[in-house]
Amino acid sequence: MDRIWEFAKNAKRKIALPEASEERNLKAAGFVHKNRLSEIILVGNEDEIKQNASKFGVNISGIEIFDPQASGFLERYTETFFNLRKSKGVTLEKAKEIMLDPVYYATMMVKMKDADGMVSGAIHSTGDLLRPALQIIKTAPGISIVSSSFVMELQDKSFGDNGVILFADCAINPNPNAEELSSIALATAATAKSLCQIEPRVAMLSFSTKGSAEHELITKVREATKLAKKKSPELLIDGELQLDAAIIPDIAKLKAPGSPVAGKANVLIFPDLQSGNIGYKLVQRIAKANCIGPVSQGFAAPVNDLSRGCSVEDIINVITITALQAG
Ligand code: ACO
């Protein structure tokens, strides 16, 4: 995070926060502004934001506030949203109503390059944040699916790269097919390189290691591994692997001898959202790992979600990661 904070400082990106009157968001915004980690735009009702800032003892002088009701952008944003969504039955009247929602408004700020990125999710559900971003920002050219990863900083430094392991997808895609799972693996390997500067060793997780069991759920993971290898032959990736074979060297020797990944994986790809979401929360809560994310992958511009249980520090970290992704 020190490296990411340093980068964010120099990048001077503008990050929009649409949950601006919420205590943790205000405190994070105050910290980021004071330490010049990035520029902040608070989106929401101006009076409420100012009242709450004073209630929580946060100095927000010098931070821009955009009130969707009062800003001069509403008409332009409404028209753009209407044009994007009219084929889905959205009327001009409905588009205006939607654009008054701070999350939609902040997402449109990113689309229109009035902000470089957006962070939300301390009070909204993941779906409430992602749906506007999927509708307005959409995927980057050549990318078929948006996904997410968590950077897990473990207390036990013998795992992954000095205790750092990426988990995916723990937040977005409920039940990816083999093609989608292969894309999630490649996107997470790219995040490992760009965000953590580590050389990815990707394990495609299952409840079977190299044919130890047979089931259609395992077939999906095998197929995804094959597709990912085909798309990126130089990537160190292996599957299907059980979690113990993926991260414990002695078990890897027994269950997957000769694997370039087993026993030393630093990227773990879960087969679906139930296993991914449960898996990251287990490691966060029971092993007391510091988990950073979810970091979105594949959007045309950076938009990142928070967990509703997030701390002020989590929000600061996600803001700086978003600034880094905005390049
Ligand atoms: N990548 C790219 N595009 C997508 C994706 C994706 N992963 N998912 C949906 N889309 C597209 C759809 O095709 C659609 O496009 P269109 O309207 O232009 O045709 C658009 O995005 C909106 O899709 P919807 O159908 O309205 O949205 P959907 O109901 O599919 O919801 C969502 C998408 C919100 C991501 C859903 O899959 C979801 O709720 N996922 C689980 C989120 C969650 O609850 N996570 C767990 C908690 S997170 C945590 O604990 C940190």
Side-chain angles (χ1 to χ4, degrees):
M1 283 313 306
D2 289 344
R3 191 181 54 77
I4 291 170
W5 279 25
E6 206 46 49
F7 182 92
K9 240 181 200 177
N10 294 324
K12 297 196 181 351
R13 296 296 175 217
K14 274 191 185 178
I15 307 302
L17 302 182
E19 296 173 332
S21 49
E22 191 268 342
E23 182 174 1
R24 290 164 297 173
N25 271 272
L26 275 169
K27 287 182 172 165
F31 182 93
V32 168
H33 180 70
K34 188 174 162 201
N35 292 282
R36 298 178 194 283
L37 295 177
S38 98
E39 289 180 32
I40 293 287
I41 300 171
L42 299 173
V43 179
N45 180 282
E46 187 162 355
D47 291 341
E48 197 186 344
I49 292 171
K50 286 183 170 164
Q51 263 169 26
N52 283 4
S54 119
K55 179 169 143 197
F56 301 130
V58 181
N59 178 4
I60 56 165
S61 65
I63 302 183
E64 275 185 284
I65 300 178
F66 273 76
D67 186 337
Q69 282 281 7
S71 89
F73 293 173
L74 188 60
E75 203 176 318
R76 187 161 57 100
Y77 286 7
T78 299
E79 207 176 301
T80 306
F81 187 71
F82 170 65
N83 286 325
L84 278 172
R85 301 301 293 174
K86 62 185 173 195
S87 64
K88 302 280 171 179
V90 174
T91 61
L92 198 56
E93 197 183 18
K94 187 75 186 159
K96 185 169 180 186
E97 187 190 317
I98 290 173
M99 269 308 120
L100 287 170
D101 176 329
V103 178
Y104 270 91
Y105 187 93
T107 308
M108 189 57 90
M109 290 191 89
V110 178
K111 168 83 179 171
M112 304 299 274
K113 302 198 186 317
D114 294 318
D116 298 305
M118 195 266 267
V119 172
S120 168
I123 49 177
H124 287 85
S125 71
T126 298
D128 289 344
L129 164 88
L130 289 174
R131 213 165 273 113
L134 291 167
Q135 292 174 358
I136 295 171
I137 292 180
K138 301 183 183 286
T139 52
I143 304 284
S144 61
I145 188 174
V146 169
S147 62
S148 69
S149 59
F150 275 97
V151 180
M152 309 294 294
E153 286 184 310
L154 308 176
Q155 296 195 6
D156 186 336
K157 303 295 174 207
S158 67
F159 292 115
D161 264 45
N162 196 25
V164 172
I165 304 193
L166 280 83
F167 283 16
D169 177 0
C170 308
I172 299 186
N173 294 283
N175 194 14
N177 61 28
E179 162 64 28
E180 290 166 342
L181 198 57
S182 70
S183 300
I184 292 169
L186 298 187
T188 311
T191 301
K193 276 189 184 173
S194 62
L195 195 63
C196 308
Q197 298 190 335
I198 59 180
E199 209 41 56
R201 299 181 295 277
V202 183
M204 303 293 280
L205 297 181
S206 178
F207 59 88
S208 160
T209 300
K210 301 283 185 183
S212 64
E214 288 300 332
H215 192 277
E216 64 193 50
L217 295 173
I218 304 167
T219 310
K220 176 178 94 168
V221 177
R222 263 180 223 148
E223 188 58 28
T225 312
K226 242 193 251 167
L227 285 168
K229 276 184 185 163
K230 201 169 153 198
K231 288 187 214 168
S232 182
E234 75 292 349
L235 179 67
L236 290 180
I237 179 166
D238 204 4
E240 83 282 7
L241 294 170
Q242 284 162 288
L243 189 269
D244 54 359
I247 60 169
I248 311 276
D250 286 348
I251 296 179
K253 271 187 217 150
L254 283 174
K255 291 187 173 182
S259 164
V261 166
K264 47 181 183 284
N266 55 18
V267 174
L268 301 181
I269 304 300
F270 292 83
D272 61 27
L273 187 53
Q274 302 222 46
S275 54
N277 192 266
I278 294 166
Y280 104 80
K281 285 183 197 283
L282 272 175
V283 177
Q284 177 189 31
R285 300 292 168 183
I286 296 182
K288 307 269 181 253
N290 180 26
C291 71
I292 300 159
V295 178
S296 299
Q297 307 171 155
F299 276 124
V303 166
N304 279 307
D305 181 31
L306 299 160
S307 169
R308 275 170 290 175
C310 67
S311 63
V312 173
E313 192 188 341
D314 293 334
I315 302 179
I316 294 166
N317 286 340
V318 175
I319 290 172
T320 54
I321 285 171
T322 309
L324 183 142
Q325 287 178 317

